[in-house]
Amino acid sequence: MHLGVVIPRTGTHDPTDLAISAEKQGYDSVWMGELWGSSSVVKLSEIAAMTDEVELGTAIVNVFSRTPAVLAMTAVTLDRVSNGRASLGVGTSTPTAVENVHGMTFDRPVRRSHETIEVIQRILGDDEPVTYEGERVSVSGVPPLDRDVPIYHAALGPANRRVVGRLCDGWMPHNIPFSGLDDAFEVVATSARERGRDPDEITIAPYVPAAVSDDRDEAYDAVRGHVAYYAGSADGYRNAIATEFPDQVDRVAEAWQAGDRADAATLVTDEMVHDLGVAGTPSAARDRLREIVSETAIDRPLVTIPEQAADGVAEETIEALAAVSDA
C-alpha cells in the first residue's frame, strides 16, 4: 500500500522530526498543509534535506495567493532540492482564508483552479514559451521549466472534480465520506474519459483524519474536533459532509458558527467519525484504515493528524498506522 502522512502544523513537536520518523517507519510520502503561520514549502525544503527517499507534497497551497508562475517555480525548486521527490497539491482554500488573510477576492474558484493548473502544467513542460489568455489568468512568453512534477487537486464539488478529470495527476478529497468516495470519483472519471484520459491513472489520495490512543475517547474526540472545525469553516466542507450526514452537519456547523466549539465537537457522532476518519485504539484504527482502503478505490490514503490532537496522540498515530503500509 502507498501510505502518506499529512504532518500537523501546530503543537510542540517539530514537523521535520515527525517527517523523519514517518520515513523510517515506512510511509512513502509526507505532506505539509499551509494556512497561516508557517510556509509549507520552506518546511518541506528542510524535510527534503533531512530525508532520503520519502516523497514530499504540499497539502495544500491555494490557487489565489501565489500566481501560476510562482507555483510552477515553487514546484520545480522543491523537486530539485529533493532530487525528484516533489508533488504539488493545490486547492481553492476558503473565502475566509483567501479574502481575510490574503486580501483577495474569492471569485470563480473553480475557473481559477482550472486555469491555474493548466498554466502550471504548460510552464512545467518543455515546449515553446507559454502564452495563455484565460478568464482569470493571463501570462505571456513564460519560459518553460521542463520538469515533471505531479499535480494533485483537493477538489470537493462536482465542478472542481471535473477539473481533476481534465487535468490532474491526483485527487486529494477531504471530508467526502468514505462510503460515498467511489461515487464521487465517477465525476472525475467521466471528465477524464471525455478528455481521452485513463481514469485509472489518476491517483486517489484522500485525507484520512486519524487519531490513535489507548484511550478510545481521546482518539475519537480529536477527530470530532477536526470534523467540527471543517464543518463550521466553509460551505464546501459542509456540503461534502452533507452528502451522507445532512442533518447532523447542519447542527455541527450552527454550533461552531455560534461560537460553541466544544458543543459542535460533541455533535459529531461516532458514525460521522467512522465515515470521515480513523479513530480508536491502535488495533482498531489499523483495522479501520485497512477496511477503508479495501472497500474503496483509494490508491494512497493520507493519514492526517488533527490539529486538535495532543502531541502524544500525533506520534502514536504515525507509529500505529505505519504497520498498515505492510499490508
Side-chain angles (χ1 to χ4, degrees):
M1 181 194 299
H2 293 286
L3 184 64
V5 60
V6 180
I7 301 294
R9 296 172 292 109
T10 61
T12 59
H13 48 253
D14 180 69
T16 301
D17 290 341
L18 288 179
I20 293 169
S21 177
E23 180 180 44
K24 289 178 179 177
Q25 293 179 65
Y27 288 86
D28 71 355
S29 61
V30 169
W31 305 72
M32 284 290 299
E34 182 179 275
L35 179 62
W36 176 247
S38 179
S39 165
S40 64
V41 179
V42 173
K43 200 62 183 173
L44 285 168
S45 297
E46 180 183 7
I47 292 170
M50 302 295 289
T51 55
D52 299 313
E53 298 181 354
V54 70
E55 296 176 33
L56 308 172
T58 57
I60 61 169
V61 291
N62 76 73
V63 295
F64 286 91
S65 61
R66 293 177 175 93
T67 67
V70 171
L71 287 169
M73 288 187 288
T74 298
V76 167
T77 303
L78 182 59
D79 199 55
R80 285 173 179 158
V81 300
S82 65
N83 295 318
R85 293 185 279 147
S87 293
L88 180 68
V90 300
T92 62
S93 191
T94 67
T96 299
V98 170
E99 295 183 349
N100 293 5
V101 176
H102 298 290
M104 305 183 73
T105 302
F106 193 75
D107 183 41
R108 300 185 64 191
V110 174
R111 190 65 207 168
R112 178 86 179 201
S113 295
H114 179 108
E115 294 184 6
T116 296
I117 293 168
E118 194 167 33
V119 171
I120 292 170
Q121 287 180 325
R122 294 189 187 184
I123 294 175
L124 293 178
D126 60 0
D127 297 325
E128 297 296 319
V130 179
T131 294
Y132 184 96
E133 287 292 336
E135 298 173 26
R136 314 311 303 161
V137 174
S138 297
V139 299
S140 178
V142 181
L145 296 174
D146 191 15
R147 194 84 180 187
D148 184 15
V149 182
I151 300 176
Y152 289 67
H153 185 25
L156 294 180
N160 232 348
R161 276 179 263 150
R162 286 192 282 272
V163 175
V164 175
R166 289 191 291 264
L167 298 172
C168 299
D169 301 288
W171 180 40
M172 303 175 69
H174 187 196
N175 291 306
I176 294 178
F178 302 125
S179 59
L181 196 63
D182 287 358
D183 287 343
F185 183 71
E186 277 307 304
V187 175
V188 177
T190 298
S191 182
R193 294 187 193 102
E194 290 171 351
R195 281 291 182 98
R197 304 182 67 209
D198 183 355
D200 290 341
E201 294 182 357
I202 299 173
T203 300
I204 304 175
Y207 285 53
V208 180
V212 175
S213 173
D214 290 329
D215 182 341
R216 177 192 180 278
D217 290 341
E218 180 182 36
Y220 266 70
D221 286 346
V223 176
R224 289 188 217 280
H226 178 95
V227 173
Y229 166 78
Y230 281 96
S233 295
D235 290 344
Y237 298 126
R238 185 168 68 252
N239 292 340
I241 298 170
T243 56
E244 295 292 333
F245 304 103
D247 296 334
Q248 297 95 318
V249 77
D250 283 345
R251 289 194 291 270
V252 173
E254 288 171 7
W256 185 273
Q257 291 165 3
D260 300 327
R261 306 296 168 82
D263 289 344
T266 62
L267 289 169
V268 177
T269 66
D270 284 4
E271 183 184 10
M272 294 173 73
V273 170
H274 190 71
D275 206 10
L276 291 162
V278 167
T281 61
S283 61
R286 284 192 291 268
D287 287 346
R288 177 55 183 152
L289 181 54
R290 291 188 184 105
E291 182 180 48
I292 291 168
V293 174
S294 67
E295 294 181 353
T296 67
I298 291 172
D299 300 301
R300 170 179 274 175
L302 302 181
V303 173
T304 303
I305 312 300
E307 302 290 345
Q308 295 83 357
D311 288 345
V313 170
E315 294 167 3
E316 186 171 0
T317 301
I318 292 173
E319 180 178 356
L321 297 182
V324 178
S325 65
D326 299 327

